[in-house]
Amino acid sequence: MRIGILDILGPPARRPVDLAYQVLITKQYASITPQAISVWCRRSGHETFYATYYGVGRPHRLLPADLDVVFISCYTQVSHLAYALAKIYRRAGIRTVIGGPHAKAFPVDCLRFFDLVVGECDPELVADILSGQFDPGTVISAARPFDDVPTVEERMPEIRASAFFWGRKPLLLSAVPMLASMGCPYRCDFCIDWSSTYRPLPADRLRADLRYLAEHLPDLLIVFHDPNFAVKFDDVFETLESLPPGRRPPYIIESSLTVLRGDRPRRLKETNCAMVAPGVESWTGYSNKAGVGRTGGTEKVERVAAHFAQLAENVPYLQANFMFGLDSDEGDEPVELTKRFMDLAPFAFPTINIPVPFGGTPLHGELTAAGRILATMPFTFYYAPYLVTTIKNYDPVTYYEKLVELYSHAASPSMLSRRLRTTSHRVVGYVHRARTASFRSDIASFRRILDMLRTDPAFLAFHEGRSTTLPEFYRRTGERMLGRYAELLSPADRTPDLSPAGPPRHHLTIEKK
């Protein structure tokens, strides 16, 4: 069969600054599962065509027009582009399958446009999809996440296509996606991995990948896609340390501060860790991830900042992840505490996330029950700078005012100057400058929304949950984001179906036709 696999990484670029970012950065966001599906299909003798779309060109032309089946992976922000492409493929008689974060979060909505919606996936499930074992209009899932992660060597055709430029030459920012584990032991209510089971993957597979990269692609950056890297710290790091010091490739991880305690930051340095992105989340909650017990408030800020300082002595680049707008946030304190952290740890670049109620999470269930999700807001806006819920302790105007305050502090000239003084790495300095400029662009977006909230009663009523009429601003913005594909989706197509999904048909229990 002729099988297409398309990984949608970003929306169409609309401005020169978007184009540069998406070519250099978004291009490197390729996911592992689409690459694994391509390998599994190739192993079975099928002719496979794999591509990533990072906002440049025409995505429907990245794959041949005469496919038998197309697999599309996407996250929620770009789901409308996936829907438009599904319409094109279905008109051509191609069977359409969607997976990835959006499919897991909102499977019922996906069924409006795709023949099959996949939760968890493994080689056997893919084989059954290709042999026609499932009726159209079905949500399906493997019984558990796959363990068979194809090696880097097997995935090299996909890695060249996604990470290299013109499919041939790796550049400074080219990255190889890898996994050392699946799942996360924490139960953060906003995270799509909240109910997953942590499982380390075979160490011999990781060791083989590291050796292959050291021999064939030395110094190429590894990005570990583990939701929480090295929970089994010693086991993972014994594998990383199995390579001689001079042959260890640089790598990026997302991990919790609880994991990175004691002398472990030193082992990060010794194994050539280039970046760590711990999740702090909140100064009043999620303290188990921060390793501070029940501590909160100013004491938590100081202890977390000290922990980041220890990491900064061993890792060139740090990112601190925060949520602002949780039900535990109230008054000025969350803003002042986060600003205090920035002052104590200028070397850690902060990301300040707006809570997004992704389907299947406890946060989505709680906000749905309380009627706090803006039900007619298109999925295109399920990311910052947009707000798709009502915030418990802030009205919309106050909330955006505080976002402007937070981002302004993070992007101030004095803060940038302090960040640059904390590093001698030229590349890290460039990244600090670029991300600061991005924050300043975000501030402009926040202020535009804030101005509409202050001056447009209908816009304010929508964000206060008093009206379900979608403001014209979002309709126009959504069409600009879709570009040439906007005509394929009607207003009804863009209005999400947030109905809860029933249990998927599990691969091991289905009754085959």
Side-chain angles (χ1 to χ4, degrees):
M1 299 176 69
R2 291 169 62 82
I3 312 300
I5 301 98
L6 179 62
D7 193 0
I8 303 179
L9 310 177
R14 295 184 293 119
R15 301 174 301 175
V17 65
D18 296 330
L19 179 64
Y21 185 89
Q22 289 173 269
V23 168
L24 294 174
I25 305 298
T26 306
K27 181 176 172 63
Q28 303 303 322
Y29 289 169
S31 304
I32 290 179
T33 302
Q35 295 185 354
I37 291 172
S38 184
V39 171
W40 297 335
C41 293
R42 190 162 60 241
R43 285 178 187 169
S44 299
H46 300 292
E47 189 175 7
T48 62
F49 304 88
Y50 165 89
T52 62
Y53 176 72
Y54 48 91
V56 179
R58 300 183 181 185
H60 72 281
R61 294 188 175 177
L62 294 174
L63 298 174
D66 56 346
L67 299 171
D68 296 298
V69 180
V70 63
F71 293 87
I72 295 181
S73 175
C74 73
Y75 57 98
T76 296
Q77 180 198 347
V78 294
S79 59
H80 283 180
L81 178 57
Y83 293 172
L85 295 176
K87 285 194 171 188
I88 294 173
Y89 289 122
R90 291 177 88 172
R91 288 173 184 172
I94 299 169
R95 194 184 320 162
T96 57
V97 185
I98 186 171
H102 181 66
K104 290 182 182 179
F106 300 105
V108 173
D109 197 73
C110 291
L111 279 179
R112 297 193 293 157
F113 305 95
F114 284 83
D115 295 318
L116 298 174
V117 178
V118 177
E120 299 297 346
C121 168
D122 63 12
E124 292 76 21
L125 183 68
V126 170
D128 279 354
I129 289 172
L130 299 183
S131 62
Q133 298 294 339
F134 304 104
D135 293 324
T138 307
V139 179
I140 56 178
S141 181
R144 57 187 294 178
F146 61 88
D147 288 317
D148 178 21
V149 181
T151 64
V152 168
E153 184 174 7
E154 281 188 293
R155 289 189 286 124
M156 277 311 301
E158 288 72 32
I159 291 170
R160 288 192 185 95
S162 62
F164 291 11
F165 285 80
W166 301 283
R168 292 174 298 198
K169 184 177 180 181
L171 297 181
L172 179 65
L173 296 177
S174 293
V176 175
M178 287 177 53
L179 280 169
S181 64
M182 295 279 201
C184 180
Y186 296 103
R187 296 291 178 262
C188 300
D189 58 358
F190 56 80
C191 180
I192 62 171
D193 290 307
W194 74 275
S195 61
S196 63
T197 301
Y198 175 82
R199 294 185 299 118
L201 295 174
D204 58 348
R205 182 65 56 91
L206 175 59
R207 187 177 294 107
D209 283 343
L210 292 171
R211 289 175 177 171
Y212 179 87
L213 288 170
E215 180 177 353
H216 297 280
L217 294 166
D219 301 322
L220 198 66
L221 182 67
I222 294 172
V223 178
F224 282 101
H225 285 211
D226 306 41
N228 200 333
F229 185 77
V231 172
K232 301 283 187 182
F233 191 91
D234 290 333
D235 294 343
V236 174
F237 273 77
E238 285 172 7
T239 304
L240 295 176
E241 291 160 352
S242 65
L243 281 178
R247 301 186 65 209
R248 295 170 181 170
Y251 63 93
I252 291 173
I253 62 172
E254 185 167 355
S255 189
S256 60
L257 292 174
T258 305
V259 171
L260 305 176
R261 63 186 187 276
D263 70 340
R264 291 175 174 179
R266 173 185 55 80
R267 296 177 74 179
L268 294 175
K269 181 178 182 178
E270 292 172 351
T271 53
N272 204 15
C273 181
M275 173 182 168
V276 179
V280 180
E281 320 305 359
S282 167
W283 300 117
T284 55
Y286 310 102
S287 293
N288 56 338
K289 292 176 64 178
V292 296
R294 297 180 180 276
T295 302
T298 302
E299 184 180 354
K300 180 176 179 179
V301 172
E302 293 176 353
R303 290 178 61 178
V304 168
H307 199 156
F308 269 87
Q310 183 187 13
L311 288 170
E313 295 174 359
N314 295 277
V315 179
Y317 191 82
L318 297 176
Q319 174 177 297
N321 299 324
F322 297 98
M323 302 282 287
F324 174 60
L326 298 167
D327 283 2
S328 58
D329 292 331
E330 188 173 5
D332 295 332
E333 185 179 40
V335 174
E336 295 304 319
L337 291 175
T338 304
K339 288 161 61 177
R340 174 65 176 161
F341 172 83
M342 295 180 204
D343 293 338
L344 292 173
F347 39 79
F349 201 96
T351 61
I352 302 160
N353 298 295
I354 296 173
V356 177
F358 292 113
T361 62
L363 179 65
H364 184 273
E366 292 168 10
L367 295 183
T368 298
R372 290 172 50 195
I373 296 178
L374 305 181
T376 56
M377 179 70 93
F379 286 136
T380 302
F381 303 101
Y382 273 53
Y383 77 106
Y386 306 108
L387 187 62
V388 300
T389 69
T390 55
I391 301 298
K392 180 178 180 180
N393 296 314
Y394 301 101
D395 63 82
V397 171
T398 303
Y399 181 72
Y400 273 98
E401 287 174 343
K402 293 192 177 300
L403 280 175
V404 169
E405 184 179 351
L406 277 169
Y407 273 67
S408 296
H409 192 83
S412 66
S414 62
M415 184 61 69
L416 175 59
S417 177
R418 293 181 63 196
R419 283 196 192 103
L420 295 176
R421 289 199 299 269
T422 64
T423 182
S424 59
H425 291 261
R426 184 173 60 179
V427 172
V428 172
Y430 290 151
V431 173
H432 280 324
R433 288 186 174 91
R435 296 194 71 181
T436 299
S438 177
F439 260 41
R440 291 170 182 167
S441 177
D442 289 337
I443 293 168
S445 297
F446 292 146
R447 284 178 169 154
R448 280 195 297 271
I449 294 172
L450 183 57
D451 182 62
M452 286 186 286
L453 289 168
R454 287 170 171 164
T455 60
D456 185 340
F459 192 81
L460 178 63
F462 176 77
H463 276 285
E464 289 182 335
R466 294 183 287 109
S467 169
T468 59
T469 302
L470 185 71
E472 183 67 13
F473 167 77
Y474 291 117
R475 188 195 64 78
R476 291 196 311 270
T477 303
E479 290 199 348
R480 286 200 302 271
M481 288 179 176
L482 278 171
R484 69 180 77 245
Y485 299 98
E487 65 183 24
L488 293 172
L489 297 182
S490 68
D493 288 338
R494 298 175 204 169
T495 302
D497 185 341
L498 300 178
S499 303
R505 298 180 67 186
H506 284 170
H507 171 67
L508 295 180
T509 61
I510 62 168
E511 183 177 322
K512 296 183 181 179
K513 294 191 296 183

